Amino acid sequence: MEFIDYYKLLELDKSASKADIKKAYRRLARKYHPDLNPNDKEAQARFQQINEAHEVLSDPEKRKKYDEYGKDWQHADQFEEAKRQRASSGGFGGGFGGGGQSYSYSGNFDDDTFSDFFEQMFGGRARAEGAHRGRHFKGQDFNAELQLRLSDVYESRKHTLTVNGKNIRLTIPAGVENGQTIKIKGHGGAGVQGGPKGDLYITFNISNDTSFRREKENLYSTEEISLSTAALGGEIRVKTFNGEVKLKVKPGTQNGSKVKLKGKGFPKYKKEGQFGDLYITYKVKVPENLTEKQKELFQELKKTGI
């Protein structure tokens, strides 16, 4: 497996601050985003690598392991545990040496080398115990970000993600929220020594391409009505997320008053056929540029105390 220098990938040095990492990630993610580079597999692969680099370097604990163990940072706990066990049995002394042998770790080798190194550290006992105890290690988890529009998640749809050069086709359930993360089991890195594959975590970045405001499964909008409709009542047509409906306005409707359209909101996540509500706020429009006749009518109304 080819070593990827996360610092070099984000065009940073090892002294970069957390703010520097975040800034570099946002700049490069925009540059290589699949939406801006359609049908460009190299850009898609680069975008995934940038996400992985940010996921590791933005986490202080993972960054510490990466700085010490390189691309094999995900095996850091196993290395440390192996060193502790070897040291407690007197095999290491103060370092990666024992029994007249010494071992070095460069922080830049693949999973097969990791297995060889592990066996070197424990000798034949590791192979024997490994066979009986099943020393299998789960593969690295991957993280990806999926850019969608609000209108894209009103219904369940199939989408294709490119992760490490592989296309993954999956169905995104209706009703997912901005910032929500879901796990796709078994689509991460390969396991070590026959261990299970890692998982893929997808975080949704959902932009609102509609006139509605969304709060979970509920939607909110503003509807302008005439002064006469507000005073006398009437019937208007209002836009919902999936079409128009007729709505009766009660006489004497005040500016800023609200009505609820039950079941006309957004789908509830993973609850087939269930929807939130749509809340409409009325905005009464005060007429402008009145004709002389209209002014006279208003003057008459004014005299009656209206």
Side-chain angles (χ1 to χ4, degrees):
M1 185 182 294
E2 183 183 355
F3 174 64
I4 300 175
D5 187 328
Y6 287 156
Y7 289 103
K8 186 176 180 180
L9 186 66
L10 295 182
E11 301 174 4
L12 298 168
D13 55 45
K14 286 192 174 183
S15 63
S17 66
K18 193 169 183 178
D20 293 334
I21 293 170
K22 186 175 183 180
K23 183 178 180 181
Y25 165 72
R26 287 182 171 178
R27 175 175 57 82
L28 293 170
R30 284 195 296 268
K31 180 178 179 181
Y32 292 100
H33 195 280
D35 288 350
L36 300 178
N37 300 274
N39 303 319
D40 188 338
K41 292 185 177 180
E42 289 187 8
Q44 292 175 358
R46 187 68 176 271
F47 179 74
Q48 177 59 34
Q49 291 173 346
I50 290 167
N51 273 299
E52 291 175 14
H54 176 257
E55 189 268 337
V56 173
L57 298 185
S58 64
D59 185 307
E61 184 176 346
K62 291 179 181 178
R63 182 179 181 181
K64 182 180 179 181
K65 291 178 181 179
Y66 177 79
D67 287 345
E68 184 172 355
Y69 292 101
K71 81 172 182 64
D72 292 290
W73 64 269
Q74 66 267 34
H75 300 308
D77 293 339
Q78 285 83 15
F79 278 122
E80 294 300 323
E81 178 63 22
K83 286 193 291 182
R84 284 193 293 271
Q85 291 183 22
R86 187 73 174 189
S88 65
S89 65
F92 271 118
F96 283 6
Q101 301 181 60
S102 62
Y103 310 107
S104 62
Y105 174 69
S106 67
N108 184 15
F109 50 65
D110 57 23
D111 288 341
D112 291 335
T113 309
F114 168 76
S115 301
D116 294 340
F117 178 70
F118 194 90
E119 290 189 0
Q120 281 182 326
M121 290 170 65
F122 284 90
R125 181 168 64 89
R127 288 188 292 273
E129 292 182 358
H132 289 89
R133 296 183 183 179
R135 293 184 181 276
H136 307 308
F137 303 112
K138 181 182 176 182
Q140 180 182 1
D141 290 336
F142 290 158
N143 292 271
E145 186 176 281
L146 183 58
Q147 306 278 345
L148 295 172
R149 297 168 301 179
L150 189 59
S151 56
D152 292 329
V153 295
Y154 184 75
E155 297 177 343
S156 297
R157 294 183 182 178
K158 292 185 181 296
H159 293 268
T160 300
L161 282 178
T162 301
V163 180
N164 276 15
K166 296 180 180 180
N167 289 334
I168 301 174
R169 190 164 176 79
L170 68 158
T171 299
I172 305 300
V176 295
E177 294 189 45
N178 182 48
Q180 182 177 345
T181 299
I182 64 173
K183 180 175 78 171
I184 309 298
K185 189 174 178 62
H187 283 281
V192 179
Q193 298 194 137
K197 288 185 176 181
D199 301 319
L200 170 63
Y201 291 86
I202 302 174
T203 300
F204 295 95
N205 186 347
I206 301 174
S207 60
N208 191 346
D209 59 334
T210 75
S211 59
F212 299 97
R213 178 170 59 87
R214 179 192 181 190
E215 290 186 8
K216 295 188 178 297
E217 67 268 18
N218 293 326
L219 295 175
Y220 299 83
S221 68
T222 299
E223 191 70 29
E224 192 173 74
I225 60 176
S226 67
L227 183 59
S228 59
T229 300
L232 302 174
E235 189 175 80
I236 62 173
R237 299 186 68 86
V238 297
K239 186 172 73 171
T240 68
F241 206 94
N242 62 345
E244 289 188 345
V245 297
K246 292 181 180 180
L247 181 62
K248 288 185 177 180
V249 180
K250 295 180 179 180
T253 294
Q254 300 297 305
N255 183 54
S257 60
K258 298 179 181 180
V259 293
K260 180 176 76 172
L261 300 186
K262 189 173 179 61
K264 289 297 182 179
F266 216 69
K268 295 184 178 181
Y269 180 66
K270 285 193 172 181
K271 293 183 178 180
E272 189 71 26
Q274 296 186 35
F275 292 79
D277 303 320
L278 170 60
Y279 292 86
I280 296 176
T281 300
Y282 288 125
K283 181 181 179 181
V284 179
K285 183 179 180 180
V286 177
E288 299 177 303
N289 302 317
L290 297 173
T291 65
E292 290 301 321
K293 178 64 175 177
Q294 289 170 331
K295 290 179 181 179
E296 290 176 8
L297 292 173
F298 271 104
Q299 288 293 343
E300 292 297 320
L301 288 173
K302 185 177 180 180
K303 292 177 182 178
T304 65
I306 295 178

